[in-house]
Amino acid sequence: MARTSIRRPVLKINLDSAGDPRRGPDELAAEEPLEIRLRKQPLAVTMRTPGQDIDLAIGFLLTEGIIRAADDVVTAQLCAGTDTPNTYNVVDVVLGADVPPPVTDLSRNFYTTSSCGVCGKASIDAVRTRSRFDVAGDPMTVPAATLAELPDRLRAAQRTFERTGGLHAAGLFTAAGELLVLREDVGRHNAVDKVIGWAAREGRLPLAGHLLLVSGRASFELTQKAWMAGIPLLAAVSAPSTLAAELADEAGMTLVGFLRGATMNVYSSAHRVTV
């Protein structure tokens, strides 16, 4: 069973209470490194919450443009790492013979952290990967009233967040508001990769007519990942960045931010949100 959370003894202090500080257990969201290898050669390391690691690896490879579909992967398996006891924090992937190997150099460093998936890249141009899917031509529309209901549905499905309060979430919805899959992770980009990796393995790409909701902000990297999966609408409960809005414009993707209660801001391709 994946180590999504760990109990730890803490000293609990409540200044509004007359009682003394007390010791008791608290549940923390797990954060461990995952190394992604191609034919046993290291490609990337990301700090993630264990669970759905195969989906995470496939989603990462797809959104980075290394593979085009799950069929490009011959095998993907958890492997023994160097930890004792073994934590299986390595995924080794074998690509098809016709899949060109990625070109890695100092301008395209694949080391990532749980807070930012592209911080190690030398420039924005190095990560502006072109999607093969026509997001701009997607005719999907979503009523604003439907969008307004989705954050509560996402929050209700966040089981590990309920225990720890320490995870990001990404949820894939239909245009009618049906939640198809939700993934949680300490890294917002990891949660999105887990969703996209699941969709790739299920043969659902491109995700035309679907929308992706993230529990935090909408960054450039999340917009790029949505575009690579053919998602026409990305919504976030918090703010988008300038680069996220610019990339959404370039892709013809609808970008919604500050989706809270009955209010929201539509930053690009507003024609998909109907009132």
Side-chain angles (χ1 to χ4, degrees):
M1 182 175 181
R3 306 166 297 281
T4 58
S5 63
I6 297 173
R7 293 174 70 83
R8 180 184 178 91
V10 299
L11 178 65
K12 298 187 176 183
I13 300 173
N14 186 349
L15 297 179
D16 292 329
S17 174
D20 294 332
R22 61 185 178 85
R23 293 191 176 275
D26 189 32
E27 199 157 357
L28 304 181
E31 181 176 28
E32 298 179 8
L34 178 72
E35 182 178 15
I36 300 173
R37 299 176 181 173
L38 293 182
R39 291 188 180 274
K40 304 187 184 305
Q41 297 300 311
L43 175 71
V45 175
T46 185
M47 302 303 296
R48 95 313 186 187
T49 300
Q52 299 93 33
D53 290 329
I54 300 299
D55 286 344
L56 171 55
I58 291 176
F60 175 85
L61 294 175
L62 191 142
T63 58
E64 289 290 342
I66 297 172
I67 64 173
R68 294 166 61 89
D71 291 344
D72 289 341
V73 175
V74 177
T75 60
Q77 58 185 354
L78 284 167
C79 302
T82 58
D83 297 333
T84 303
N86 188 5
T87 54
Y88 290 93
N89 281 333
V90 175
V91 173
D92 188 61
V93 180
V94 176
L95 302 181
D98 59 339
V99 180
V103 177
T104 57
D105 54 34
L106 293 179
S107 69
R108 192 164 177 78
N109 177 9
F110 281 105
Y111 176 80
T112 64
T113 71
S114 61
S115 60
C116 176
V118 297
C119 294
K121 307 281 173 52
S123 68
I124 292 300
D125 289 340
V127 297
R128 194 182 289 272
T129 307
R130 294 282 180 173
S131 174
R132 63 193 179 100
F133 300 127
D134 179 21
V135 171
D138 195 310
M140 182 191 77
T141 60
V142 181
T146 298
L147 281 175
E149 297 173 352
L150 300 189
D152 286 342
R153 295 180 188 175
L154 188 77
R155 177 67 180 81
Q158 290 180 250
R159 296 180 180 177
T160 307
F161 180 87
E162 185 68 29
R163 303 194 308 270
T164 66
L167 292 179
H168 295 285
L172 182 68
F173 291 85
T174 67
E178 176 189 0
L179 177 60
L180 297 179
V181 64
L182 175 138
R183 294 291 183 257
E184 295 179 280
D185 202 280
V186 287
R188 59 175 59 88
H189 63 287
N190 290 334
V192 170
D193 278 340
K194 288 178 178 180
V195 167
I196 294 174
W198 170 86
R201 290 199 305 108
E202 291 288 315
R204 291 175 175 262
L205 298 185
L207 288 167
H210 293 75
L211 67 96
L212 181 69
L213 173 63
V214 295
S215 60
R217 62 185 177 88
S219 62
F220 173 91
E221 56 173 342
L222 298 193
T223 307
Q224 176 187 266
K225 289 177 184 296
W227 187 8
M228 293 295 289
I231 299 172
L233 192 154
L234 172 64
V237 299
S238 191
S241 69
T242 56
L243 284 176
E246 291 172 11
L247 188 63
D249 275 337
E250 180 179 335
M253 180 191 303
T254 301
L255 179 62
V256 178
F258 292 108
L259 181 56
R260 301 170 182 175
T263 63
M264 65 196 76
N265 293 343
V266 185
Y267 293 87
S268 62
S269 297
H271 64 278
R272 291 196 180 95
V273 181
T274 61
V275 181

